[in-house]
Structures are given as C-alpha cells and as structure tokens.
Amino acid sequence: MVSRALVSAGWLSEVLKARRAPALRVLDATWYSPGSRDARKEYEERHIPGASFFDLEQCKDQQSPYEMMLPTTSQFAKYAGELGIRNDSHVVVYDCDSVGMLYAPRLWWMFRVFGHHNVSLLDGGLANWMKRGFPVTSEATRVTPETFRVTLNQSLLKSFEDIQENISSKRFQLVDARSEGNFQGPEPKPGEGIEPGHILGSVNIPFSNFRTKDGYEKPVHEIRQLFQDRGIDLTKPLTATCRRGVTACHLALASFLLGKEDTAVYDGSWSEWFHRAKPEHKVFEKRNGV
C-alpha cells in the first residue's frame, strides 16, 4: 500500500491473486456525461478482474437541476450494498481516465461522506495498471448483495448556504480545483448556460497539478509545496470546489495525504453557484485582460 488513501497496482494485484482479502471490493468509477462515451460499455469490455461498475450517473440526486449532487443516505446504502459492499469491506476505487484517475476521487470522497473510511484509490488508475502488464477482463463480476449501513458525515460536505455565509465570516479557506482558464475566465464555456468564473474569495489550485505526468499522485513534499505556494494553511478549515464537485475531490485527497482528513467539498460547486449566487459574489475576468 502507498498509504491509507492510495494503493499501488502491485499491491492490488498480489491481493487479488492471493485471494487473501475476502472483504476487498474493487470498483470502476469511470463517469461520462450522458451523450458522450459509454462508461458502462467500456467497463464491460475491459476492467480489473473482480471489479464492479459503480455508476456515478445513477447513484446521485436525480431530482437536482445540478450535475452531480449526492444521493440520500438510503440511496447510497442500497446502491453500494447491491454491489456486495459491507461495512467491513475494504473498497478500492479506480477509473479509466487516459492519464491516471479523474473520477475515482469523487467516489472515494462519497464513501467517506457516508461514514465508510476503509476506502482507497488505485494510484495511477487503470491506464497505469495496464501499462504495468496487469490483467484486465471482460468477464462479468458476480457479487452477492449485502447490507450496508451508512451515516452522513456532515463535516465533509458544504452546501450553497455554507459557502454564502463564508463570504463574510471567512470561517474556512476555499480552493477551486478547476483549470486556471476556467477559474479566471479566458477558456470557453464549461457547459451550456455556465460562463467561466469563480466564487468570490476562492483561490485556484488546478487538480492536475497534484498528478505526475505519468498519472500518479505526486510525492507529499510536492503536494505540500503546492498548498504553500497558494497561501493555504492546512492547520485551518479548508473546503474544495470545482465545476460539479468531482475534481474538487482531488484536492480533498491531496490534503488527506498530508494528514488533513477534514477537508470538505462544496457539492454543488460552480454549477450551482453560477445559477444561485448574487452577482457580486461571482468573479468573471474578461477576455484579453480587459
């Protein structure tokens, strides 16, 4: 194991071959928005032996107008239980992003929000698992549904009202994990009806900065320097945001690796803030520096 939050491909391969961890459950958390690539089909064609597909598009608040809001505790418990996850399971999550992992940290954070802390990420994702020559399969994974009990850990979750109140109170630091262009404004629209920009008072550390060029998580001393360079004090409360609450979880992971296990995520992130916040609480930097 690399850490409690990260496991290496070599470690996972040995555990799977030895079958010495019966409570181990491996999940593919690849997500693509409807109308783009079919993540489930890709899973069915190629996945780590014994892995199940965790559909983030299904296990979310289907009634919300925003893109990726948490499901209820009962919905999450039922969905995870049907994948054979128990309260004593060690859950290992990965995705098939072309460089390391992109979506998996969202599910890692979700398990922790719902009170399950025995969860890790496959460092380097499926891309590096395959580069190292470890096997993949199209064989269907059969699991026995289990009872999975969850309790919401509210401290890891921030709402629109929390962020709004923090504009004046400054109770916590707010870091945006999107690209610099999306944060500042020069990049094209990140989605229909949403302009680039950021929450008043937030600072920017793009999530990609935490990964090496090969798709692994950077060493802790480099991660610590990234926070220091942006003036983030890890001894004080911290909340991460992004576009839809997905890449913000990379920032929660990075701080976790430094021993800060209480970083919260603003679930609605910019997709909610753009539509609901007061104009003076949204910062848009015009193109061409104007």
Side-chain angles (χ1 to χ4, degrees):
M1 297 183 73
V2 180
S3 71
R4 279 194 300 142
L6 293 173
V7 298
S8 68
W11 179 89
L12 181 58
S13 174
E14 287 300 313
V15 171
L16 291 174
K17 282 192 297 185
R19 300 180 182 274
R20 62 173 182 262
L24 179 71
R25 293 295 297 118
V26 182
L27 301 176
D28 182 326
T30 306
W31 176 82
Y32 298 117
S33 58
S36 63
R37 294 164 63 183
D38 187 335
R40 183 180 290 275
K41 184 174 183 292
E42 291 186 22
Y43 159 80
E44 291 170 351
E45 294 172 347
R46 185 177 63 190
H47 56 266
I48 292 175
S52 296
F53 183 68
F54 194 106
D55 193 340
L56 290 170
E57 189 62 30
Q58 290 296 316
C59 192
K60 69 175 187 178
D61 181 356
Q62 300 291 338
Q63 306 306 313
S64 174
Y66 308 112
E67 296 177 70
M68 186 61 71
M69 302 292 278
L70 284 174
T72 64
T73 53
S74 60
Q75 288 170 335
F76 187 84
K78 182 176 186 294
Y79 192 93
E82 288 175 348
L83 292 178
I85 295 165
R86 312 188 304 242
N87 289 90
D88 66 344
S89 295
H90 178 191
V91 179
V92 175
V93 187
Y94 74 90
D95 66 63
C96 62
D97 182 56
S98 59
V99 182
M101 55 189 174
L102 179 57
Y103 316 102
R106 168 73 183 191
L107 185 52
W108 170 82
W109 172 76
M110 286 172 67
F111 271 102
R112 295 178 60 244
V113 165
F114 288 117
H116 189 78
H117 293 271
N118 194 12
V119 56
S120 308
L121 289 153
L122 174 61
D123 194 18
L126 185 66
N128 283 297
W129 170 272
M130 293 174 61
K131 282 180 183 177
R132 292 194 56 189
F134 293 122
V136 292
T137 184
S138 61
E139 183 178 341
T141 299
R142 291 177 172 81
V143 297
T144 301
E146 300 282 357
T147 298
F148 184 60
R149 296 180 177 86
V150 306
T151 303
L152 183 67
N153 182 354
Q154 191 67 50
S155 68
L156 296 179
L157 176 65
K158 294 298 182 186
S159 66
F160 173 82
E161 290 75 20
D162 294 327
I163 305 299
Q164 189 175 48
E165 192 273 339
N166 194 63
I167 294 288
S168 57
S169 70
K170 295 180 172 54
R171 296 180 192 275
F172 51 83
Q173 304 161 100
L174 185 62
V175 181
D176 193 313
R178 291 174 298 157
S179 68
E180 183 180 358
N182 264 322
F183 179 84
Q184 292 184 336
E187 286 185 1
K189 294 180 182 180
E192 185 177 353
I194 302 178
E195 294 285 350
H198 59 270
I199 300 169
L200 181 68
S202 61
V203 299
N204 184 216
I205 307 179
F207 78 95
S208 58
N209 289 6
F210 296 112
R211 299 189 304 192
T212 68
K213 62 180 178 60
D214 295 318
Y216 293 97
E217 199 72 10
K218 285 184 176 178
V220 292
H221 69 276
E222 293 185 30
I223 293 173
R224 183 175 290 107
Q225 190 63 51
L226 286 168
F227 283 111
Q228 290 177 349
D229 289 347
R230 298 300 292 138
I232 302 302
D233 186 345
L234 293 178
T235 67
K236 296 179 179 179
L238 177 63
T239 295
T241 183
C242 59
R243 161 69 189 279
R244 57 174 70 90
V246 174
T247 58
C249 299
H250 283 259
L251 197 143
L253 168 65
S255 60
F256 187 98
L257 295 174
L258 297 179
K260 185 173 182 58
E261 302 183 8
D262 60 352
T263 296
V265 170
Y266 171 26
D267 197 26
S269 284
W270 182 246
S271 64
E272 179 183 38
W273 192 260
F274 177 84
H275 291 291
R276 295 187 62 189
K278 297 177 181 178
E280 61 267 28
H281 293 163
K282 295 180 282 190
V283 181
F284 302 96
E285 297 186 21
K286 296 181 180 179
R287 287 168 172 71
N288 301 320
V290 179

